[in-house]
Amino acid sequence: MQVLTVPVTPFMQNARFITCPETSKTAIVDPGGDADKLLKCIHDGQLNIECILLTHGHLDHVGAADELKKALGLEIIGPHLDEKFWFDALPMQSQMFGFAPKAAFYPDRWLSHKEPVSVGKMQLEVRHCPGHTPGHVVFYHNDSSKVIVGDVLFKGSVGRTDFPKGDASQLKQSILEQLFTLPEETVVLSGHGENTTIGFEKYNNPFMSGQYG
Ligand SMILES: [Zn+2]
Ligand SMILES: [Zn+2]
């Protein structure tokens, strides 16, 4: 998997272009805003975009998805159906985050746990990781040892759980069961900040310490 990272919005959310090296087919993961900037990347890189993938419904992750869908004729895929209320709440989120007004829109397809998603010839595995938000999913690519985790896990930190329907113990359980069971060399691509690895977080993440000594 080839990854191009483009930070968007004042929250510096890591929108990602993930490309299948064999077919050059690309998906956009979490286009949270700055649609013009993302469209310029697509144009300049002559990217062959297949779909839009979303980890969860926070505005800084989904804000440009509807615009890109219209501009490029793409499907929006994910997250999990349990995230629907955050899409209902998009107008409220734009006020809460101080963004331009945003009408509600919805994915074309919700994803379920362990469902395979393909981008070109790459097979990604969906893992449902509730806690930061109830319908949050991550995308695991076994062949390139990468996992795109949105706001579940960060280098030295974890996602906030103080939003409506956030749940700290559920988040911890998601990280233990769905992320820390991956090979330690797996590269973690987080929604904000720099990349890390499963191994580094298992042994160094202060929010998860005590679990692995
Ligand atoms: Zn979030
Ligand atoms: Zn975020």
Side-chain angles (χ1 to χ4, degrees):
M1 180 198 289
Q2 294 161 350
V3 182
L4 171 66
T5 302
V6 182
V8 293
T9 82
F11 294 94
M12 296 297 282
Q13 197 280 119
N14 291 321
R16 319 262 186 192
F17 293 99
I18 60 168
T19 301
C20 167
E22 254 184 273
T23 62
S24 293
K25 297 259 181 167
T26 299
I28 316 171
V29 187
D30 285 359
D34 303 338
D36 292 347
K37 187 173 167 182
L38 295 172
L39 285 167
K40 188 175 185 314
C41 288
I42 293 165
H43 182 260
D44 291 353
Q46 298 189 316
L47 301 177
N48 182 0
I49 309 289
E50 201 170 41
C51 63
I52 298 166
L53 300 175
L54 300 179
T55 61
H56 67 297
H58 280 160
L59 186 56
D60 58 321
H61 294 254
V62 310
D66 55 340
E67 217 172 316
L68 293 179
K69 172 185 167 159
K70 276 177 212 139
L72 302 167
L74 302 169
E75 277 204 328
I76 301 174
I77 302 171
H80 187 281
L81 178 61
D82 289 354
E83 198 75 350
K84 184 178 176 292
F85 86 103
W86 276 117
F87 288 85
D88 295 333
L90 279 167
M92 180 274 285
Q93 287 198 63
S94 58
Q95 284 183 310
M96 187 170 95
F97 291 123
F99 283 33
K102 188 90 211 161
F105 67 89
Y106 298 92
D108 297 288
R109 182 151 72 88
W110 300 104
L111 290 170
S112 49
H113 184 58
K114 297 272 177 165
E115 183 173 343
V117 170
S118 58
V119 178
K121 288 187 178 169
M122 298 191 297
Q123 284 272 16
L124 310 180
E125 185 188 76
V126 172
R127 293 184 172 214
H128 184 204
C129 291
H132 173 67
T133 62
H136 201 303
V137 298
V138 305
F139 298 100
Y140 174 54
H141 188 230
N142 180 60
D143 292 353
S144 67
S145 295
K146 290 186 179 76
V147 62
I148 300 171
V149 302
D151 288 352
V152 173
L153 181 67
F154 303 107
K155 186 169 187 180
S157 187
V158 298
R160 287 172 60 174
T161 53
D162 57 335
F163 293 114
K165 301 194 191 186
D167 185 326
S169 64
Q170 200 179 39
L171 179 66
K172 199 161 187 173
Q173 193 185 347
S174 290
I175 294 170
L176 287 174
E177 291 177 0
Q178 304 305 332
L179 296 180
F180 282 7
T181 49
L182 298 175
E184 294 197 347
E185 67 273 16
T186 307
V187 175
V188 175
L189 305 167
S190 302
H192 306 264
E194 52 187 307
N195 296 349
T196 183
T197 63
I198 292 296
F200 184 87
E201 298 311 315
K202 253 191 194 180
Y203 300 109
N204 299 288
N205 191 308
F207 294 88
M208 300 301 291
S209 63
Q211 301 291 339
Y212 288 87

